[in-house]
Amino acid sequence: MPIPETTLFEALARTLEQTDFAGLGTLYRGKVRDNYTRDGQRFIIATDRISAFDRVLGTLPLKGQLLNHVAVWWFERTRTIAQNHVLSVPDPNVTIARQCRPLPVEMVVRGYLTGSTSTSIWVHYSRGERTF
């Protein structure tokens, strides 16, 4: 459903750059999200900050809401496959979660076999390797 143009223009003047909720607990500020930890819970607030190359470049209206919505959408759909940390979503920018220890795994999944670095599947595939 498209957002009315007037809503977008109004949002230009009200981007969420950062938060200051000392009562929520200990603050950790990432590039895009502000995280507060208290009593085994994490309050994750998706701001409108834009980052690239490990730098914050500015803000984009409603970006935090969209980012949070997409993350929650995936967590809800994969909940039956693997437990996740999400407890509730009381606001479009906020996820309340269990405090967890992250799994140290990172991967990039693409619908194509391209790339030139030693981490790309194409490099291995072109050498005849078929187990990745």
Side-chain angles (χ1 to χ4, degrees), residues 36-124:
Y36 296 87
T37 305
R38 180 186 72 204
D39 300 329
Q41 288 189 332
R42 180 170 289 223
F43 304 87
I44 305 169
I45 303 172
T47 70
D48 294 331
R49 294 191 297 262
I50 303 170
S51 70
F53 306 108
D54 291 330
R55 297 192 53 158
V56 174
L57 304 175
T59 59
L60 182 65
L62 307 172
K63 177 190 177 265
Q65 290 183 21
L66 180 61
L67 180 66
N68 198 50
H69 178 77
V70 169
V72 169
W73 188 90
W74 279 108
F75 282 126
E76 286 175 357
R77 274 145 190 86
T78 59
R79 181 180 302 270
T80 59
I81 299 168
Q83 289 183 332
N84 63 54
H85 63 310
V86 176
L87 297 173
S88 67
V89 183
D91 180 88
N93 288 81
V94 179
T95 297
I96 299 176
R98 282 183 211 92
Q99 180 68 19
C100 298
R101 187 172 30 97
L103 295 173
V105 176
E106 181 177 346
M107 70 179 81
V108 177
V109 178
R110 297 185 175 103
Y112 45 88
L113 298 176
T114 61
S116 58
T117 66
S118 63
T119 60
S120 77
I121 290 179
W122 177 250
V123 170
H124 298 279

